[in-house]
Amino acid sequence: MKMTPALLIVGGLLVFWSAVFVMVILPIATMPQTPSEIWRPWTTQEQEGNDLWVSNGCHYCHSLFIRVNDWGLGAERIAQAGDYHQQRVAILGTERTGPDLSQAGGEHPDDWHIAHFNNPRWTRPLSLMPSWAFLGESDLRKLTAFIQAQGLKAADERMQRQLRYGPEARAAYRRGFDANVEWLHAQVPPVWRAMPNPYPPLEAALLRGHKIYQDNCLGCHGAIGDGQGPAVPYLDPPPLNFTILRKHLVEGRYIGGLLYYQIMNGVTGTSMPYFKRDLESEKIWDVSNYIAVYFIGYTDANKEPRGIDAAFEPPWPHTDTPPTTQRSRP
């Protein structure tokens, strides 16, 4: 057969459409369209939030899936095809300049997200994300609804927990500073309340704690720990003023275990996130010591009960006297 331009064009088209049929049409026609166990349809507001997500290119920096080879600390669930049922077309992203958000729903209350979208550095001081304040409040609410839907039914369960404790936290704050601290203390298991910080506030530990505070806490709790960071206008209840903890030591002398637990676990229903996935144990103790020494003016580090010191620790006699202004707790 003689090769002619017409034959070349026809042959090329046949190869192209054969590839399209095998790689696109055939999988669409034969792949099951079964929703996964967490799937539910989006609400109108969530769909509008998805449209904003796509039109503003959020998927250029964030992904919405966890693969088998992504499984590790912080991963909640391997993504399944049925998670994206009825999405036409599912824009999942491939770059992870920012974190994967496929299970971000319910991790924070809505007010945290609104503060974050207005200026990401207010809630995540090291964030590279630009401000989205130009979208306006209505669109930021839609974008927040979309983020809170990530994880679908699993996210709905997390949101229910946020909605359960949020009103309690706001009511405690409105009863006054002291009542608020009492409520916060009551959310910590008793075994953690009467626990001193096991690490001494050595110079290196306080310097590490200072950096950890700047990298994670500054935007909400403020530079001097008075709960007046730049995110405050968006957060309800506002972040805790650490300086008033001086009046609320457990049994008149303990504060280290309380700080550790609430930094580790966060306070669900408020803008205080958990840091158990971001900070290893020593870092949480270090920032606890930093807060105790510089904002509370007293540390219980190395008080009894105590065990054998870690191998790297030099001798450090505890000389801090509990403040006389403290209010004793049982």
Side-chain angles (χ1 to χ4, degrees):
M1 179 181 293
K2 184 179 179 182
M3 184 65 68
T4 64
L7 187 61
L8 188 62
I9 292 172
V10 171
L13 288 173
L14 282 174
V15 170
F16 173 77
W17 284 111
S18 296
V20 169
F21 178 78
V22 171
M23 301 298 292
V24 179
I25 299 175
L26 192 61
I28 290 176
T30 59
M31 285 179 67
Q33 297 292 317
T34 305
S36 68
E37 77 281 3
I38 67 167
W39 183 86
R40 65 162 173 76
W42 281 340
T43 65
T44 301
Q45 190 179 38
E46 290 163 359
Q47 179 63 61
E48 291 173 347
N50 175 68
D51 295 342
L52 287 166
W53 171 274
V54 174
S55 62
N56 285 282
C58 302
H59 53 286
Y60 295 146
C61 292
H62 295 281
S63 64
L64 295 176
F65 60 91
I66 293 290
R67 303 162 298 186
V68 174
N69 54 328
D70 297 325
W71 193 248
L73 183 65
E76 288 293 333
R77 185 177 181 280
I78 304 293
Q80 299 176 20
D83 297 350
Y84 311 98
H85 183 63
Q86 291 186 353
Q87 288 190 34
R88 297 290 184 273
V89 172
I91 305 294
L92 306 184
T94 55
E95 296 293 330
R96 287 180 176 159
T97 305
D100 177 85
L101 297 178
S102 60
Q103 293 291 323
E107 293 272 346
H108 304 278
D110 286 356
D111 56 355
W112 186 95
H113 284 293
I114 297 297
H116 187 69
F117 284 134
N118 272 282
N119 189 328
R121 260 71 61 196
W122 290 346
T123 51
R124 292 285 190 184
L126 298 182
S127 175
L128 299 174
M129 194 168 100
S131 168
W132 295 95
F134 67 88
L135 288 176
E137 182 176 352
S138 176
D139 281 353
L140 290 185
R141 293 283 175 194
K142 294 173 184 174
L143 205 49
T144 296
F146 173 72
I147 297 296
Q148 297 290 39
Q150 297 309 305
L152 299 168
K153 291 180 181 176
D156 292 344
E157 292 176 1
R158 294 191 288 268
M159 279 304 297
Q160 286 303 313
R161 191 175 297 125
Q162 296 284 358
L163 295 172
R164 173 188 171 190
Y165 289 106
E168 285 187 37
R170 289 189 286 275
Y173 176 78
R174 286 164 178 68
R175 288 196 295 272
F177 292 124
D178 291 334
N180 187 40
V181 173
E182 295 290 326
W183 182 83
L184 288 169
H185 281 11
Q187 309 314 310
V188 177
V191 68
W192 286 90
R193 298 180 203 167
M195 180 185 296
N197 192 319
Y199 293 103
L202 304 173
E203 180 181 2
L206 292 176
L207 288 172
R208 291 194 300 268
H210 177 61
K211 185 175 189 309
I212 295 164
Y213 185 86
Q214 287 188 315
D215 290 351
N216 297 279
C217 317
L218 192 68
C220 294
H221 291 283
I224 58 174
D226 59 354
Q228 294 298 312
V232 168
Y234 297 91
L235 305 180
D236 185 22
L240 181 65
N241 176 354
F242 291 126
T243 63
I244 65 173
L245 291 177
R246 189 176 176 82
K247 296 191 300 180
H248 295 273
L249 304 181
V250 175
E251 298 178 7
R253 59 184 184 277
Y254 296 120
I255 195 64
L258 276 164
L259 291 172
Y260 185 100
Y261 185 87
Q262 292 196 319
I263 294 169
M264 170 186 70
N265 210 53
V267 184
T268 302
T270 78
S271 54
M272 175 64 189
Y274 62 82
F275 284 92
K276 62 177 69 176
R277 289 173 175 166
D278 298 272
L279 303 175
E280 65 213 41
S281 177
E282 188 191 31
K283 291 179 178 177
I284 298 180
W285 286 121
D286 284 342
V287 75
S288 298
N289 256 334
Y290 175 78
I291 292 168
V293 169
Y294 288 104
F295 302 148
I296 302 175
Y298 165 78
T299 177
D300 59 8
N302 269 359
K303 271 189 172 295
E304 297 292 345
R306 56 181 296 186
I308 301 174
D309 291 338
F312 72 88
E313 290 182 42
W316 188 82
H318 188 281
T319 56
D320 255 8
T321 303
T324 56
T325 55
Q326 56 82 25
R327 291 169 42 160
S328 296
R329 280 178 48 82

